[in-house]
Amino acid sequence: MPDHPSPFSSAGDRHFDGLAEKFAGSLYGGPRGALRLALLDRLLPEMLHLDDQPVLDVGGGLGHLSGWFALRGHAVTLVEPAADMLDHARQALAGQPITFVEASLQALSQRAAGPWSLIACHAVLEWLHDPRAALATLAGQLAPGGQLSLMVFNRDALRMSNVVKGNLEKALDDRLEGTGKRQRLTPISPLTHGQIETWSAENGLAIEAVAGIRVFHDYLRHPPTTEADWSRLVALEQRYCRTEPHWRLGRYLLYTLVRTDTAT
């Protein structure tokens, strides 16, 4: 039997070498990815103070977020540890003001050192063995007053999704983490809002804004089949994604965190 490379890094993080096509097709090529991108297009200008500042995109994957910032006048540094993801991003974003760096989040101080006035890190922490340390690393690269656009996979939404699917024992036992060994892409470290509150405070970060991404879509018994129903769903998501209590059950939680100290 041939040896298969481990899906984990030496630090115990789930990485995605060899999965660029899967991400491009089944994730971003489907309605879940389309809705996520549509909501970000609406929310990022509302939740961030954007002034053409340079952006560090950590774990930028296929480059969707980097492309969004580049098209709006930002010079972007995209950091991604998976070589095939980075190659895909290079091809898709050729000609844009983007620098591509093959590195892990833990290597930021060596490969893309700050201080940065704006860092984006979307859908990364939930794939790391130690997301708490990762948030500390990101905070350490922020300039005083700098913004961190952070998006994480919501553990509470994962529990609700399991209940809706009838996985009651799994929900009762709180066995929600994925193993990372298969391609179903259930994160190994889904996170709660309470954890983000605690860890942000530990690192001198204030939560300036929060929203839920896909508050309703992932619980639907019957996904939209017509353009009219899709438009209604998008309108519902946009209306309630920042409203209590709905945002708390978004599949992802999107934050703007601001470094509040004045250290240099």
Side-chain angles (χ1 to χ4, degrees):
M1 295 283 293
D3 291 332
H4 295 285
S6 170
F8 293 94
S9 72
S10 59
D13 304 332
R14 177 64 160 93
H15 54 188
F16 297 104
D17 295 289
L19 293 179
E21 293 304 320
K22 177 179 176 63
F23 271 74
S26 64
L27 185 59
Y28 288 104
R32 291 179 303 161
L35 182 55
R36 171 172 150 181
L37 294 174
L39 289 167
L40 288 175
D41 188 57
R42 166 76 172 268
L43 287 168
L44 291 177
E46 293 180 359
M47 294 174 63
L48 294 170
H49 304 288
L50 300 175
D51 190 26
D52 298 336
Q53 66 267 57
V55 178
L56 177 66
D57 183 10
V58 181
L62 301 175
H64 293 91
L65 192 60
S66 288
W68 189 92
F69 281 112
L71 287 173
R72 287 156 181 79
H74 302 265
V76 183
T77 298
L78 191 166
V79 176
E80 168 58 44
D84 63 327
M85 293 275 192
L86 207 60
D87 288 342
H88 190 288
R90 281 195 185 96
Q91 295 175 29
L93 299 171
Q96 298 292 329
I98 300 174
T99 301
F100 301 91
V101 179
E102 185 177 338
S104 66
L105 182 150
Q106 292 89 343
L108 287 180
S109 62
Q110 293 80 42
R111 303 297 305 280
W116 293 87
S117 58
L118 179 56
I119 297 176
C121 185
H122 286 194
V124 175
L125 263 60
E126 60 263 27
W127 296 107
L128 304 183
H129 174 69
D130 192 348
R132 186 178 195 167
L135 185 56
T137 296
L138 293 169
Q141 297 304 314
L142 272 179
Q147 303 169 95
L148 170 60
S149 179
L150 180 73
M151 188 168 74
V152 301
F153 196 94
N154 183 3
R155 186 183 184 91
D156 293 323
L158 183 57
R159 181 182 297 103
M160 177 64 78
S161 180
N162 272 282
V163 172
V164 170
K165 293 174 182 176
N167 299 327
L168 304 185
E169 185 175 359
K170 185 175 181 180
L172 276 171
D173 292 344
D174 206 33
R175 292 184 288 106
L176 303 176
E177 297 87 351
T179 64
K181 296 178 180 178
R182 295 185 290 177
Q183 293 193 12
R184 291 194 63 187
L185 300 180
T186 300
I188 64 172
S189 300
L191 301 171
T192 68
H193 177 62
Q195 287 174 309
I196 298 302
E197 285 184 310
T198 298
W199 300 347
S200 295
E202 290 174 353
N203 291 285
L205 300 175
I207 299 177
E208 187 169 274
V210 61
I213 302 295
R214 301 206 315 260
V215 167
F216 302 113
H217 173 276
D218 290 28
Y219 307 112
L220 292 178
R221 293 181 181 178
H222 306 290
T225 57
T226 67
E227 285 295 328
D229 281 345
W230 175 258
S231 295
R232 293 185 186 100
L233 175 61
V234 172
L236 278 167
E237 296 277 2
Q238 290 176 336
R239 180 180 297 179
Y240 292 107
C241 63
R242 299 185 68 183
T243 302
E244 289 275 11
H246 304 289
W247 66 263
R248 294 178 180 273
L249 282 180
R251 179 51 60 103
Y252 292 90
L253 299 176
L254 176 68
Y255 298 89
T256 298
L257 307 177
V258 177
R259 184 172 169 184
T260 58
D261 64 74
T262 57
T264 56

